[in-house]
């Protein structure tokens, strides 16, 4: 997708603090962190929302989740805990229409979310 900001990050056309990459997944630091640790995990393939996921792409969500857990261990906050969030469309608070998993940690996160 030409105009998608996360596709541009995946293609290295705009900078990001990338902390993990493989053939299918990219993880980078959120530009406007909502917690001391705020990392976004995306599939390199453009998928606009969770509503657009098809069965053949379900492994990507599994890879994103497993990668988040690995990063939590590597960065030292797995035992203390963290939150994984995927927002969908207007009521979910989605602002970038390329699916992404938020990995949030480093403070006691409130529940329920606002
Ligand atoms: P959401 O509101 O769930 O769609 O989350 C989008 C997230 O992307 C927000 O937390 C933004 O701060 C983050 N974001 C937007 N642009 C960039 C960027 N260029 N680099 C890193 N994070 C970004």
């Amino acid at each position: 997708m030409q105009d998608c900001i996360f596709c541009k990050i995946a293609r290295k056309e705009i900078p990001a603090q990338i902390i993990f990459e493989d053939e299918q997944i990219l993880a980078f630091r959120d530009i406007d962190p909502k917690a001391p640790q705020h990392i976004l995990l995306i599939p390199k393939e453009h998928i606009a929302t969770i509503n657009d996921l098809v069965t053949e792409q379900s492994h990507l969500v599994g890879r994103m989740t497993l990668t988040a857990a690995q990063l939590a261990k590597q960065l030292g906050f797995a035992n203390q805990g963290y939150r994984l969030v995927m927002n969908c469309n207007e009521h979910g608070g989605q602002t970038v229409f390329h699916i992404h998993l938020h990995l949030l940690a480093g403070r006691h996160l409130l529940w329920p979310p606002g």
Side-chain angles (χ1 to χ4, degrees):
M1 292 288 286
Q2 284 307 111
D3 295 331
C4 169
I5 193 160
F6 287 176
C7 284
K8 287 182 180 173
I9 288 174
R11 291 195 299 261
K12 315 287 169 52
E13 292 172 8
I14 61 171
Q17 270 187 273
I18 293 171
I19 56 175
F20 174 85
E21 178 170 19
D22 67 15
E23 317 80 57
Q24 295 172 319
I25 301 295
L26 193 68
F28 52 94
R29 294 206 175 269
D30 196 292
I31 204 167
D32 180 19
K34 315 306 186 287
Q37 298 274 0
H38 189 172
I39 293 158
L40 300 174
L41 297 104
I42 65 166
K44 290 185 172 177
E45 178 181 351
H46 183 83
I47 304 166
T49 79
I50 288 289
N51 289 337
D52 300 302
L53 261 180
V54 295
T55 305
E56 292 71 32
Q57 295 165 324
S58 59
H59 66 285
L60 294 172
V61 180
R63 293 284 295 273
M64 288 157 68
T65 306
L66 285 169
T67 303
Q70 281 165 3
L71 289 175
K73 287 175 195 152
Q74 281 168 21
L75 295 171
F77 55 77
N79 286 340
Q80 244 184 340
Y82 54 92
R83 185 170 294 166
L84 300 179
V85 178
M86 293 183 86
N87 297 324
C88 183
N89 280 339
E90 186 185 351
H91 279 193
Q94 185 174 7
T95 58
V96 176
F97 288 84
H98 179 132
I99 63 168
H100 47 282
L101 183 64
H102 294 262
L103 168 58
L104 297 144
R107 66 174 171 84
H108 198 127
L109 298 161
L110 300 177
W111 192 262

